[in-house]
Amino acid sequence: MPNKILVFQSDFGLLEGTVSQMHGIAMKVDPTLRIFDLTHLISKFNTWEASYSLYQTCHAWPEETVFVSVIDPGVGSSRVSVVAKTSAGHYIVTPDNGTLTHLKKHVGIEAVREIDEAVNRVKGSEKSHVFHGRDVYAYTGARLASGVIDFEGVGPAFPVQDIVMHKIIDPVIEADRVSGVLDIEDPHFGMVWTNIPLETFETLGIRFGDTVRTVIEHEGDEKYREVLTYCRTFSDVPKGEELVYNNELGKVAIATNLGSFVEKFGIKAGPAWKVSFDKLV
Amino acid sequence: MPNKILVFQSDFGLLEGTVSQMHGIAMKVDPTLRIFDLTHLISKFNTWEASYSLYQTCHAWPEETVFVSVIDPGVGSSRVSVVAKTSAGHYIVTPDNGTLTHLKKHVGIEAVREIDEAVNRVKGSEKSHVFHGRDVYAYTGARLASGVIDFEGVGPAFPVQDIVMHKIIDPVIEADRVSGVLDIEDPHFGMVWTNIPLETFETLGIRFGDTVRTVIEHEGDEKYREVLTYCRTFSDVPKGEELVYNNELGKVAIATNLGSFVEKFGIKAGPAWKVSFDKLV
Amino acid sequence: MPNKILVFQSDFGLLEGTVSQMHGIAMKVDPTLRIFDLTHLISKFNTWEASYSLYQTCHAWPEETVFVSVIDPGVGSSRVSVVAKTSAGHYIVTPDNGTLTHLKKHVGIEAVREIDEAVNRVKGSEKSHVFHGRDVYAYTGARLASGVIDFEGVGPAFPVQDIVMHKIIDPVIEADRVSGVLDIEDPHFGMVWTNIPLETFETLGIRFGDTVRTVIEHEGDEKYREVLTYCRTFSDVPKGEELVYNNELGKVAIATNLGSFVEKFGIKAGPAWKVSFDKLV
C-alpha cells in the first residue's frame, strides 16, 4: 500500500502557475494524494543544491514517500529521466544530472528505473519539450505515489553505478586536526555547514565547552581564523558572537548567534571553501 | 459529486496571515476540502496577470476544480463578485474586473453567477469591507467545492457578455511574416511568451532548425532584432544564446538558454510590445 | 475527536528544507493530518510579529486547530516549550517567549501545558539542540492534532499567569480624541494597523464620511499630520490618497488607496509609534 505522499522540489520559483500545474496533474491522477512542497526556490539550475536539499530533508518523511525534484537545466535534451529508490525506502523522481549525489553517497540508492515516456507521460503533451516537470515527472510521481504503477512500472532498470554524480570531498583527520569543506550555506539564517560528521569531530576528544581553532580558506586564501567554542546551541554565546555546533544533520557547523555568519565574514560554500578545526589543549 | 479541490490565487504575498485566513474559512466550511495555492505573488492589483495566470494553469487541473482568485483593487466598491463556469468545467470565484479575460477568450465561459452575499458571506463579517477574499470569495468557493451549494446556489445568473474584459490583440499573418504581441514574461526564468499559437507559426512552414528574423518593438522603437533558430528546447543552442520555441501553452516564445532574455535585453511584456517573425528562405 | 488540522508558522523562510522536515515529521505521526502553512516569513527572531500574526489569523480557523509556531531565538536554551489552549478552543505549540502575548490579551488563554520532552520529542533526536521546531514542536503538534495525545498528554500544567508577555499599550480616549499606537504594518500592501478597536473609535461619534485629524509621532517627533476621511473601503478615495478605515480585525487602520502608506511617508510600527485621531466638528 503506497502512503500517497508526494513532495515537490524545483527551481521554478513561486511567482506564477508552473508549480500549480504540477499539482494539478497529480490531482488528475489521484485526488486522494497528499501533496507537499519541499521548496521551489532552489537556485536556478543548481543541481548540487537540489541534491543537498533532498539529503537534508528526505529522512524526516515516512518510508515510501515519493519526491519529485525538477532542477532540470537540460530539459528536453538527452539527459535521462529516472526514479531512484533509496536505501531508506524513499523514491526520487528526477532528471539524472547530479541531483542524486548526496543521497547515493550518504544514504544509498538501492535501485534506479528509467522513466518510460511511452507509458509515463501525460497524453497529448508530446509537442511540449520544455516542461517535463509537469508532463513526465509530476505525472510519473503521482502514478507511483498513488499505486497506479509500482516501481517496476516506471520503466526499465538503470544501473545504479551509472548515476551522474557531483564530486564529493571526504573529511580528513590528522593528529589534532580535522579538515573538510563547507558543503552548503543556510541561505536564510546564514550558518555554514561542513562535510564533517559529528562523530569524526568527537574522535578528536572535543566536548561541549572546548575551544577549537577554526580556519576557513578559499582557493588557498585565508578568509577566517578564530578560536571558537564548541557549543550545544546558539545562545551559549552572546548575541553577535560565533560558535561551532552540531547541526540538524549531525554535521559540524559554524554560526553567529542571532546573526548571519555568511554575511558578516563574506563566506560562501562549495568545494573551493576548505575548513579546518584544531583541538586546543 | 464535487471533487473537493479548492485552489487559491491572490496578490496578497506570503509575509503574513492573510492567505491563511482564507484557508481557515474554507476548513470551517468543510475540513475534507483539498486546498492548494496557485500563487499569491501576482503583481499587486494586476488583473491582466491574474487573468493570464488562470489561463496558464487551470487546464492542468481536474474538471470541477474551484479556483478562488483575489486580485481585487476595487474591494468593497460596486464591482460585481461572480463565479464563472468555463467550457472546460472549472469554476472561477473572482471579482469581475478583467480576471476572466483569457479564459473567456481562449477557453470559453459557459455561464456566470453573481454572488449573493445575503447567503454566501461569512456570518458576522458585515462590518468589514476590505477583505472580501476571506469573507466572500474563500467562503463561497469552499461552499461550492464542498457541495454545500451548487452553481445555481451562488446567486442569480449574470450575462456572460457583460464580463469585464481586457483588450486582447490577435496575431496577424501576412506572406512570410507572423506578428503579434508579447503577452507575458516569465518573471522567474525571464522568457517572453507571445500571443502567437504554434499552429499559426507553423502555417508559415517553419520547422525545427529553421531560422526566423525576430523583431521586437516597443511603441514603435525597435528593441531587438536577430535571426534565431526555432528549437525543440533550450539546450539546442549553447548556454547564453537565444532561441525561439514552443512554450508549455502551445504559444511561440523566446528565451536565452540558461539565462534571462528579459534581463539581458531589457524587454518587458504587454500590449505595447510588438513582436514579428519572418521566415527566412 | 480532533479535527486533524495542523498549521505551521515560523521565521525559517522558504529557501530550503527546514519547513519540509517539520511537515515530514507530522506525516510520520499521522498521514491523515491536514497540514497548512500560515507563513514562514515572520521577521527573523521577531516574537512580537509572531504573536500578532497568530492573533490576526487563528480566529478564522475551526476550533481544535493546532498551530505550531517556531520563532525561537533561544532554541536549546532554558526557555520553556509549551502548548497553550485559547479561550476560542485553538491550541498553540510554541516556545514561551512572547509569542502568546496578543492571544492572551485579546482572546484569552484557558490553560497551558509544558511539553514533556521525555515523551513528546522525536526518538533519536536527543543530540540535536538547534531544531526543536522539528524534534519537539512539529512532533508534539502532530501528536495533539491527530489525537495520539490529548492536551493533558502534552506534559504538566504551567501557570497561565507566568507566560512571557510583551508589553501591550492600551488606547486612550479623552474628549474628542482617541490615541494609541501603531501595532503592526502590513508588510506587503503597506497599511498601518492601530491598537484602537472600532468600537472605541465610534464612541467619539465618528461615522463613515466624517473627517478626523490624524497625527503620527515617533518618540515625540511628529511624522505625519493630515485630515483624513473615515471610509468604508480604499476606493472611497482617489488613487494615491490616504484614508482611515476599519481593518479586517475590527481595528482602526490607515492606508493609501492603491499605494503604500508605509513607503510613502516612511512610517513604521511598534510601541514607539503613537497615533491620535481628533474628531473634527
Side-chain angles (χ1 to χ4, degrees):
Chain A
M1 275 294 289
N3 69 16
K4 301 232 172 187
I5 303 174
L6 188 61
V7 182
F8 287 93
Q9 166 176 285
S10 78
D11 62 351
F12 292 168
L14 299 169
L15 295 170
E16 37 76 79
T18 308
V19 167
S20 183
Q21 288 182 68
M22 298 198 294
H23 293 169
I25 288 297
M27 282 292 101
K28 277 190 180 172
V29 170
D30 180 353
T32 71
L33 284 172
R34 314 173 204 287
I35 309 271
F36 291 88
D37 296 301
L38 198 165
T39 180
H40 295 287
L41 298 173
I42 295 289
S43 299
K44 280 177 224 176
F45 315 125
N46 191 327
T47 56
W48 171 272
E49 212 177 292
S51 171
Y52 201 91
S53 174
L54 290 173
Y55 164 55
Q56 180 198 356
T57 308
C58 289
H59 63 89
W61 287 84
E63 269 187 59
E64 311 238 319
T65 296
V66 177
F67 296 84
V68 172
S69 178
V70 196
I71 291 81
D72 193 9
V75 60
S77 72
S78 61
R79 60 90 185 88
V80 178
S81 298
V82 300
V83 181
K85 181 176 185 182
T86 74
S87 302
H90 299 122
Y91 296 98
I92 321 291
V93 185
T94 180
D96 178 33
N97 58 13
T99 295
L100 294 167
T101 299
H102 292 87
L103 286 174
K104 185 173 174 200
K105 167 81 179 176
H106 297 301
V107 177
I109 302 284
E110 210 175 274
V112 177
R113 296 268 160 176
E114 181 174 349
I115 298 175
D116 177 1
E117 294 190 14
V119 180
N120 292 309
R121 184 184 174 114
V122 172
K123 301 311 155 219
S125 71
E126 293 74 13
K127 279 205 135 182
S128 172
H129 305 284
V130 295
F131 196 3
H132 286 191
R134 174 190 67 187
D135 300 333
V136 179
Y137 301 133
Y139 184 66
T140 302
R143 283 160 63 85
L144 183 61
S146 64
V148 173
I149 57 170
D150 59 12
F151 185 53
E152 286 67 38
V154 167
F158 182 90
V160 174
Q161 68 270 23
D162 289 358
I163 292 173
V164 174
M165 292 286 280
H166 287 288
K167 192 180 166 198
I168 291 256
I169 295 165
D170 286 314
V172 176
I173 303 193
E174 342 154 59
D176 281 343
R177 167 179 297 179
V178 57
S179 49
V181 295
L182 302 181
D183 252 349
I184 204 116
E185 58 190 89
D186 177 307
H188 186 65
F189 286 113
M191 306 86 160
V192 287
W193 290 6
T194 77
N195 68 334
I196 302 169
L198 187 64
E199 301 79 48
T200 308
F201 193 66
E202 290 184 336
T203 57
L204 296 189
I206 299 165
R207 299 290 172 263
F208 290 136
D210 290 353
T211 52
V212 288
R213 176 170 297 111
T214 304
V215 177
I216 298 176
E217 292 180 357
H218 181 248
E219 293 178 351
D221 287 352
E222 189 172 295
K223 297 291 182 179
Y224 180 78
R225 170 182 292 262
E226 204 62 63
V227 174
L228 300 180
T229 302
Y230 173 48
C231 298
R232 282 174 75 259
T233 189
F234 310 117
S235 58
D236 289 349
V237 299
K239 178 173 174 173
E241 295 198 5
E242 284 66 46
L243 67 144
V244 173
Y245 71 104
N246 169 31
N247 78 358
E248 64 188 57
L249 274 174
K251 296 273 168 61
V252 179
I254 309 168
T256 299
N257 180 32
L258 300 177
S260 168
F261 182 77
V262 160
E263 283 181 23
K264 185 170 172 184
F265 298 103
I267 306 289
K268 294 192 183 297
W273 290 86
K274 308 241 182 275
V275 62
S276 66
F277 300 98
D278 283 80
K279 186 187 174 188
L280 299 177
V281 283
Chain B
M1 277 291 292
N3 68 15
K4 301 233 171 185
I5 302 174
L6 188 60
V7 182
F8 287 94
Q9 166 176 284
S10 78
D11 62 351
F12 292 168
L14 300 169
L15 294 170
E16 37 77 79
T18 307
V19 168
S20 184
Q21 288 182 68
M22 299 199 293
H23 292 171
I25 288 297
M27 281 292 101
K28 277 190 180 172
V29 170
D30 181 352
T32 71
L33 285 171
R34 315 174 204 285
I35 309 271
F36 291 87
D37 296 301
L38 198 165
T39 180
H40 295 286
L41 298 174
I42 296 289
S43 299
K44 281 177 224 178
F45 315 124
N46 191 327
T47 57
W48 171 272
E49 212 178 292
S51 171
Y52 200 91
S53 175
L54 289 173
Y55 164 54
Q56 179 198 357
T57 308
C58 288
H59 64 88
W61 287 82
E63 269 188 60
E64 311 239 319
T65 296
V66 177
F67 296 84
V68 172
S69 178
V70 195
I71 291 82
D72 194 9
V75 60
S77 73
S78 62
R79 60 89 185 89
V80 179
S81 299
V82 300
V83 181
K85 181 177 184 180
T86 74
S87 303
H90 298 123
Y91 297 99
I92 320 291
V93 185
T94 180
D96 179 33
N97 58 14
T99 295
L100 294 168
T101 299
H102 291 88
L103 285 174
K104 185 174 175 199
K105 167 82 178 176
H106 297 302
V107 177
I109 302 284
E110 209 174 275
V112 178
R113 295 268 161 176
E114 181 174 349
I115 298 175
D116 177 1
E117 294 189 16
V119 180
N120 292 309
R121 182 182 175 115
V122 172
K123 301 312 156 218
S125 71
E126 293 74 14
K127 279 203 135 182
S128 171
H129 305 285
V130 295
F131 196 3
H132 286 191
R134 174 190 67 187
D135 299 333
V136 178
Y137 300 133
Y139 184 68
T140 302
R143 281 159 64 86
L144 183 60
S146 65
V148 173
I149 56 171
D150 59 12
F151 185 54
E152 287 67 37
V154 168
F158 183 91
V160 174
Q161 69 271 22
D162 289 358
I163 291 173
V164 174
M165 291 286 278
H166 287 288
K167 193 181 167 197
I168 291 256
I169 295 164
D170 286 314
V172 176
I173 303 193
E174 341 154 60
D176 282 341
R177 169 180 296 182
V178 57
S179 48
V181 294
L182 301 181
D183 251 349
I184 203 115
E185 60 191 85
D186 177 307
H188 185 65
F189 286 113
M191 306 87 160
V192 286
W193 291 6
T194 78
N195 67 336
I196 302 168
L198 186 65
E199 301 78 52
T200 308
F201 193 66
E202 290 184 337
T203 58
L204 296 190
I206 299 166
R207 300 289 173 264
F208 288 137
D210 290 353
T211 51
V212 287
R213 177 170 297 110
T214 303
V215 178
I216 298 176
E217 292 180 358
H218 180 248
E219 293 179 352
D221 287 350
E222 189 173 293
K223 296 291 182 180
Y224 181 80
R225 171 181 291 262
E226 203 63 62
V227 173
L228 301 180
T229 302
Y230 173 48
C231 297
R232 281 175 74 259
T233 189
F234 311 118
S235 57
D236 289 350
V237 298
K239 177 173 174 174
E241 295 199 3
E242 283 66 46
L243 67 145
V244 173
Y245 70 104
N246 169 30
N247 78 358
E248 63 186 58
L249 274 173
K251 296 273 166 62
V252 179
I254 309 168
T256 299
N257 181 31
L258 301 177
S260 168
F261 182 77
V262 161
E263 283 182 23
K264 184 170 171 183
F265 297 104
I267 306 290
K268 294 192 182 299
W273 290 86
K274 308 241 182 276
V275 63
S276 66
F277 301 98
D278 283 80
K279 187 187 174 187
L280 298 178
V281 284
Chain C
M1 276 294 290
N3 68 16
K4 300 232 172 186
I5 303 174
L6 188 60
V7 183
F8 286 94
Q9 165 175 287
S10 78
D11 61 352
F12 292 167
L14 299 169
L15 295 170
E16 36 78 77
T18 307
V19 167
S20 183
Q21 288 182 67
M22 298 199 293
H23 294 170
I25 288 297
M27 281 293 101
K28 278 191 181 173
V29 170
D30 181 353
T32 71
L33 284 172
R34 315 173 203 287
I35 309 271
F36 291 88
D37 296 302
L38 197 166
T39 179
H40 295 287
L41 299 174
I42 296 290
S43 299
K44 280 177 225 177
F45 315 124
N46 191 327
T47 56
W48 171 272
E49 214 178 290
S51 170
Y52 200 91
S53 175
L54 290 173
Y55 163 55
Q56 179 198 357
T57 308
C58 288
H59 62 88
W61 288 83
E63 268 187 61
E64 311 238 319
T65 297
V66 176
F67 296 84
V68 172
S69 178
V70 195
I71 291 80
D72 194 9
V75 59
S77 72
S78 61
R79 60 93 185 84
V80 178
S81 298
V82 300
V83 181
K85 181 176 185 181
T86 74
S87 302
H90 298 122
Y91 297 98
I92 320 291
V93 185
T94 180
D96 179 33
N97 58 13
T99 294
L100 294 168
T101 298
H102 292 87
L103 286 175
K104 184 174 175 197
K105 168 82 177 178
H106 297 300
V107 177
I109 303 284
E110 212 174 272
V112 178
R113 296 267 161 177
E114 181 175 348
I115 298 176
D116 177 0
E117 294 189 16
V119 180
N120 292 309
R121 182 182 176 115
V122 173
K123 300 313 157 218
S125 72
E126 293 74 14
K127 278 204 134 182
S128 170
H129 304 285
V130 295
F131 196 2
H132 286 191
R134 174 189 67 186
D135 300 333
V136 178
Y137 300 133
Y139 184 67
T140 302
R143 283 159 63 86
L144 182 61
S146 64
V148 173
I149 56 171
D150 59 12
F151 185 53
E152 286 66 37
V154 167
F158 182 91
V160 174
Q161 69 270 22
D162 289 358
I163 292 173
V164 174
M165 292 286 280
H166 287 288
K167 194 182 167 195
I168 292 257
I169 295 164
D170 287 314
V172 176
I173 303 193
E174 342 154 60
D176 281 343
R177 167 179 297 181
V178 57
S179 48
V181 294
L182 302 181
D183 251 350
I184 204 116
E185 58 191 88
D186 177 308
H188 186 66
F189 286 113
M191 305 88 159
V192 286
W193 291 7
T194 78
N195 67 335
I196 302 168
L198 187 65
E199 301 78 51
T200 307
F201 192 68
E202 291 185 335
T203 57
L204 295 189
I206 300 166
R207 299 289 173 263
F208 289 136
D210 289 353
T211 51
V212 287
R213 176 169 297 115
T214 304
V215 177
I216 297 176
E217 292 179 358
H218 181 247
E219 293 178 351
D221 287 352
E222 189 172 296
K223 296 291 182 179
Y224 181 80
R225 170 181 292 260
E226 204 63 63
V227 173
L228 301 180
T229 303
Y230 173 47
C231 297
R232 280 176 75 261
T233 189
F234 310 116
S235 58
D236 289 350
V237 299
K239 177 174 174 174
E241 295 199 4
E242 283 67 45
L243 67 143
V244 173
Y245 71 105
N246 169 29
N247 79 356
E248 65 188 55
L249 274 174
K251 295 273 167 60
V252 179
I254 309 168
T256 300
N257 180 31
L258 301 177
S260 169
F261 182 77
V262 160
E263 282 181 24
K264 184 170 172 184
F265 297 103
I267 306 289
K268 293 191 182 300
W273 289 87
K274 308 240 180 277
V275 62
S276 67
F277 300 99
D278 284 81
K279 187 188 175 186
L280 299 177
V281 284

